[in-house]
Amino acid sequence: MLVAPSILSADFGKLNDEITAICDAGCDLVHVDVMDGHFVPNLTIGPVVVSSVAKVATKPLDVHLMVQNNTFFVELFAPLKPEYITFHIEEEKHPHRLIQKIKSYGIKAGIVLNPHTPPESIEFLLGDLDMVLLMSVNPGFGGQSFIPTVIEKARRLKAMIAEKGAATLIEVDGGVTDQNINLLKEAGVDIVVAGSYVFKQDYKTAIDSLR
Ligand code: DX5
Ligand code: ZN
């Protein structure tokens, strides 16, 4: 299991130290939550802060856009060369076009599904996607409770990916702890995002427990 700590739960007063600490603790990706106050009722960070994160991170960035006007935000973040940019299908009329745009920068592309969105909605995009991110909370805030229906969704998505012969990874985001990690692994999840679970304890202990 790959582990991507969400820096939403970090102490932003010492963000550089926090990024160094999670990278030293052995995380696989640094998950960056970008919220615009429109798609979700919260506002986080833009390219100025994320460029500072990118400078100190020794692990690749995983940028999760929770925004309206995805194309505008992809253009803002592409110069920072994250490993992944993921965007919400619920907010995109032309997902196929946007996937190609993300890939044109040499960045891996992923789509995010809110808790209500069925995996069948992206069936014909799977061959183009490097990752599908399944939300196991409503996007907008850290520290919420895990919504267990994501387990069945991950299983169905895993079967769809196998049927298409695609190499798409499955990531799950929200409420991930040592209490649900085994169910996620059994369902075929490849990467977990964890915010409050990692930042509320010793980072290495937390990351090792999920892995
Ligand atoms: C929620 C974010 C998550 C969040 C996860 O909108 O996408 O990445 O930070 O935090 P926890 O692990 O505390 O649920
Ligand atoms: Zn996220």
Side-chain angles (χ1 to χ4, degrees), residues 64-189:
H64 173 193
L65 298 179
M66 284 161 274
V67 299
Q68 292 180 348
N69 199 350
N70 282 305
T71 302
F72 170 76
F73 280 85
V74 165
E75 286 167 358
L76 272 187
F77 285 96
L80 305 181
K81 294 282 171 215
E83 179 91 353
Y84 291 96
I85 294 181
T86 64
F87 64 88
H88 276 259
I89 191 77
E90 299 86 5
E91 193 55 51
E92 185 51 53
K93 289 194 185 80
H94 300 290
H96 185 274
R97 179 185 292 153
L98 188 56
I99 292 165
Q100 308 314 319
K101 184 177 183 75
I102 293 169
K103 289 183 163 180
S104 75
Y105 294 109
I107 298 167
K108 293 175 182 163
I111 279 183
V112 195
L113 306 185
N114 267 339
H116 73 282
T117 306
E120 287 75 13
S121 63
I122 54 163
E123 180 180 355
F124 295 102
L125 296 172
L126 285 176
D128 293 296
L129 284 170
D130 296 295
M131 184 203 280
V132 177
L133 171 49
L134 303 178
M135 291 308 298
S136 41
V137 296
N138 288 296
F141 302 94
Q144 304 180 83
S145 307
F146 183 78
I147 300 172
T149 48
V150 76
I151 300 287
E152 184 193 337
K153 201 193 283 191
R155 263 193 222 114
R156 275 164 56 178
L157 178 59
K158 193 75 177 181
M160 286 167 60
I161 291 168
E163 191 188 314
K164 300 274 177 205
T168 320
L169 299 180
I170 302 179
E171 184 176 43
V172 166
D173 183 3
V176 172
T177 69
D178 57 351
Q179 300 300 300
N180 46 40
I181 193 72
N182 288 330
L183 285 171
L184 292 166
K185 184 70 194 173
E186 282 162 24
V189 174

Side-chain angles (χ1 to χ4, degrees), residues 4-8 22 29-33 60-64 66 86 133 171 173 193-194:
S6 160
I7 63 168
L8 192 58
I22 53 167
L29 293 166
V30 175
H31 186 81
V32 178
D33 288 304
L61 302 192
D62 173 27
V63 172
H64 173 193
M66 284 161 274
T86 64
L133 171 49
E171 184 176 43
D173 183 3
V193 177

